[in-house]
Amino acid sequence: MARESVGRVAVFFTIILSIWAAVNAYVFWRVSSVPAFRTAPRWVFVTAAAFLAVSYVLARFLDRFGLSAVAVPLEFVGAGWMGVVFLAFCVFLVVDIFTGFGFLFRESVPSLRGGALVVVAALSVLALVQGLRPPVVVEEEVRLKGLPAERDGTVIAVVSDTHLGTLLGRGWLSARIAQVEALRPDLMVLCGDILEGDSRREGDLAAMLSGFRAPLGLFAVTGNHEFYAGVEKSVRLLEGAGVTVLRDRALEVRPGLVLAGVDDLTARRQFRVDGDPLARALEGRPKGATVFLSHSPWKAEEAARLGAGLMLSGHTHDGQIWPFGYVAGLRYPLLAGRYEIQGMPVIVCRGTGTWGPRMRLWRPGEILKITLRAG
């Protein structure tokens, strides 16, 4: 069964890499038709395309061998190129659709493609500036059915999708710890994708999570990246930092307040992990108002049916770089923000950090401050 799961993941990444190669080829094909670049030798485009396309993976490979001096800047370039090439693909595609892929308005096509490059450059700069900004604090108030009066006013700090690794390291995490500390939360939760999982620094970064402090404790659920890195290893690192990881289970934080969580639903589907995690987490739980944690914002209806009073998720990054949110929304209809599902509030964090490029368009990352009110 494990071999079958690995095979499915290998097929998944093969498809992703094939799409990546095709997108890069399309973008460079269009760039080569812009008048300012027409005189450049073909080998220049091929070399640049090959280097930029493999730079991110190459940086990860070099980091494994301890070549951080080269790997870190190369990863920043490679990750940034992901964002640039995505924007370029979208803008060039709009021009191609408008011009019938070059068969209409032929005299204007080169100039339109040149203008597209200017638009891509401007959007890329804006996205980089937005992505490098610290996350904002978004406050929500939730009236939670069954919450005892003495728990009224309980503050939960929610951090999701930090992707700690090479690009988001010690300095970035220290700033986030200070940011959360200023909120003075009673309870702290990490909604998955905490570790990027492929950096030699992950052990040190995981240990730093102990800097997040809250009187009622620090809790987490796994995300898909914890699975990619090896879920058991990731959980050991988190628990070593004093994080209580909720894996298809619930516990009573204080009398009348229950916290439940499941291993990531997206990863479970990819790895073909059997079972009914929500039933295991929510059926037979201690009595009290229940806050349910799930990295992927799926199965909200089932969570509500099983008695959860509030669901907290992440994973989607709100698309991170517009217009990717429209694509992500096809798979994750609860994309970002607050929803009401069968009387249960669902709050999807758009991510505290970034995955891949340090870029966001149009909204910055966020930390959630949720105040619970007795219902």
Side-chain angles (χ1 to χ4, degrees):
M1 190 66 180
R3 184 177 300 176
E4 181 184 349
S5 297
V6 171
R8 289 183 178 278
V9 173
V11 169
F12 170 76
F13 281 109
T14 299
I15 293 171
I16 293 297
L17 291 174
S18 299
I19 294 173
W20 174 243
V23 168
N24 276 268
Y26 170 76
V27 167
F28 275 96
W29 178 37
R30 285 300 178 239
V31 170
S32 67
S33 68
V34 174
F37 295 94
R38 278 181 178 172
T39 57
R42 182 67 60 181
W43 68 267
V44 172
F45 284 100
V46 174
T47 303
F51 171 75
L52 289 170
V54 304
S55 56
Y56 188 74
V57 175
L58 178 61
R60 296 292 180 85
F61 181 79
L62 294 174
D63 186 61
R64 297 268 178 166
F65 287 90
L67 301 173
S68 300
V70 178
V72 173
L74 183 60
E75 183 169 338
F76 186 83
V77 170
W81 176 246
M82 289 184 185
V84 172
V85 80
F86 169 72
L87 289 169
F89 174 82
C90 293
V91 175
F92 278 129
L93 185 61
V94 169
V95 172
D96 272 344
I97 292 172
F98 178 72
T99 62
F101 288 84
F103 289 101
L104 304 175
F105 315 110
R106 292 191 176 187
E107 292 183 359
S108 302
V109 167
S111 297
L112 289 171
R113 289 176 180 165
L117 271 182
V118 174
V119 172
V120 170
L123 290 176
S124 297
V125 170
L126 285 171
L128 184 61
V129 170
Q130 188 78 288
L132 292 174
R133 286 177 56 195
V136 299
V137 174
V138 175
E139 298 191 27
E140 296 279 358
E141 191 168 284
V142 175
R143 193 162 295 279
L144 195 57
K145 183 179 179 181
L147 185 70
E150 59 269 26
R151 303 292 168 221
D152 185 86
T154 298
V155 173
I156 304 177
V158 182
V159 167
S160 180
D161 299 276
T162 52
H163 292 279
L164 299 173
T166 303
L167 298 183
L168 296 173
R170 297 179 66 87
W172 185 88
L173 180 56
S174 294
R176 303 294 75 77
I177 291 172
Q179 205 172 359
V180 169
E181 185 178 13
L183 303 179
R184 304 184 67 180
D186 299 295
L187 180 67
M188 172 83 187
V189 299
L190 303 168
C191 270
D193 278 5
I194 304 151
L195 305 172
E196 185 63 10
D198 48 14
S199 170
R200 296 183 305 111
R201 302 162 189 79
E202 63 180 8
D204 292 338
L205 292 170
M208 285 184 65
L209 294 172
S210 62
F212 285 118
R213 300 183 185 278
L216 299 184
L218 173 59
F219 301 87
V221 288
T222 59
N224 50 305
H225 279 261
E226 275 76 42
F227 272 80
Y228 301 155
V231 66
E232 301 300 335
K233 180 189 76 171
S234 297
V235 170
R236 283 196 300 271
L237 288 173
L238 295 174
E239 290 182 337
V243 181
T244 300
V245 184
L246 299 173
R247 306 189 65 188
D248 304 349
R249 66 188 180 103
L251 55 79
E252 187 179 56
V253 177
R254 284 292 187 274
L257 179 59
V258 176
L259 204 59
V262 293
D263 275 339
D264 179 48
L265 301 177
T266 297
R268 297 179 82 103
R269 179 175 293 185
Q270 291 173 343
F271 285 87
R272 290 294 182 93
V273 178
D274 296 326
D276 190 348
L278 272 72
R280 284 202 297 272
L282 293 170
E283 289 180 352
R285 68 187 183 279
K287 292 182 179 180
T290 302
V291 178
F292 173 62
L293 310 179
S294 172
H295 176 65
S296 295
W298 278 344
K299 298 192 176 183
E301 293 85 356
E302 183 178 349
R305 180 176 57 80
L306 289 170
L310 168 65
M311 177 172 169
L312 301 175
S313 295
H315 183 60
T316 66
H317 293 235
D318 196 13
Q320 188 165 316
I321 301 176
W322 176 89
F324 189 72
Y326 296 115
V327 179
L330 297 176
R331 186 169 174 82
Y332 301 97
L334 305 182
L335 186 66
R338 182 167 178 164
Y339 304 86
E340 201 80 17
I341 303 296
Q342 296 181 10
M344 178 189 71
V346 180
I347 302 176
V348 183
C349 178
R350 61 177 180 260
T352 307
T354 53
W355 178 83
R358 291 295 309 277
M359 302 168 76
R360 279 187 175 271
L361 199 66
W362 298 96
R363 304 178 72 188
E366 68 180 9
I367 294 170
L368 298 176
K369 178 184 178 182
I370 300 174
T371 302
L372 301 182
R373 296 298 179 188

